[in-house]
Amino acid sequence: MCGILLANVKPIAHMVDAVSVTQAVGTKGQSGEEWPSLFVDQRFFPIFSLLFGVGFSLLLDSASRTVPRPWVLLLRRLLALLAIGLVHMFLLWRGDILTIYAVVGLVVLLPSTWLPRWAVAGLAAILIALPPVLGSNGVPEVPGLFLLGSALTRYGVIGRIERATWGPVALFLVFVAGAVPAAWLQIEASADDAHFNPWFGIAGLLTAGTYVCGVLLLLKTPLRSLLQRVFAPLGRMALTNYLTATLLVLVTARLIGSSPDGWTSATVVPIAGGILAVQWLWSTLWLRTYRQGPLEWLWRWATWACRPPLR
């Protein structure tokens, strides 16, 4: 979520000028800077999409033990997310991703619950590989990443990941070995001004895998407690923070006044860092009293069709 905010600051800020923009899928750095396209753009939404599939299957597993028709519960959850996303999209930012997630969840993720896990894993591999082959990246990768997260959960990988050590190490090395040359090919293809650069999406997926495995390894070091204190409050209120970040970026852009097109990392990074600091403080204080964030609580209410305790 922190990385997604960093990538979205400029697109969201454009809404102040009533310009409709979505998450960037270009292949060149912004404002003459190359590092966003190498380390930020298309590097974090794959993680978000993967985790959405993981969360969906974890909820399915939990609901299957408590309600007779768990698919109804999941349907309500996705419809509620669709409503939240539509409000966000039409009132604040046209680049909202929640609407897309809800629609893809209804069309792909929910029907996949009736498929055997081997079929889900196979479809995930196909749908992740297809976009670069067909000349696309970004949003078209979401269905495959959803199914990959679901398959990892159904095969028990997510349940064992806390105890795994050598697996994340090996995967980290594999992802690094793939991400470095893919990023170099991305730069080379960008220099040719190609209409579409397939290496942009490929490098994004490999870099995202590197980030995930890197964090898993860091959680096995003495940094674990620090990382939990920093990121757990933000993560427990991810939906609330995702939506309020849009408001905070729009207010900041209005105060700055200049066109976001001219913003460099010296402007974007402090904006994102300041917003995250505010949200960390707000989340930490809120969770001292309440079980969930306000929007997480409403989403849970809509999912289970009964009012859950908040305090």
Side-chain angles (χ1 to χ4, degrees), residues 147-167:
L147 293 178
L148 177 59
S150 177
L152 290 174
T153 305
R154 293 175 66 174
Y155 272 100
V157 175
I158 300 302
R160 297 191 299 269
I161 206 166
E162 180 72 15
R163 302 186 301 273
T165 300
W166 294 111

Side-chain angles (χ1 to χ4, degrees), residues 135-147:
S136 183
N137 56 33
V139 171
E141 295 173 348
V142 169
L145 291 165
F146 274 12
L147 293 178

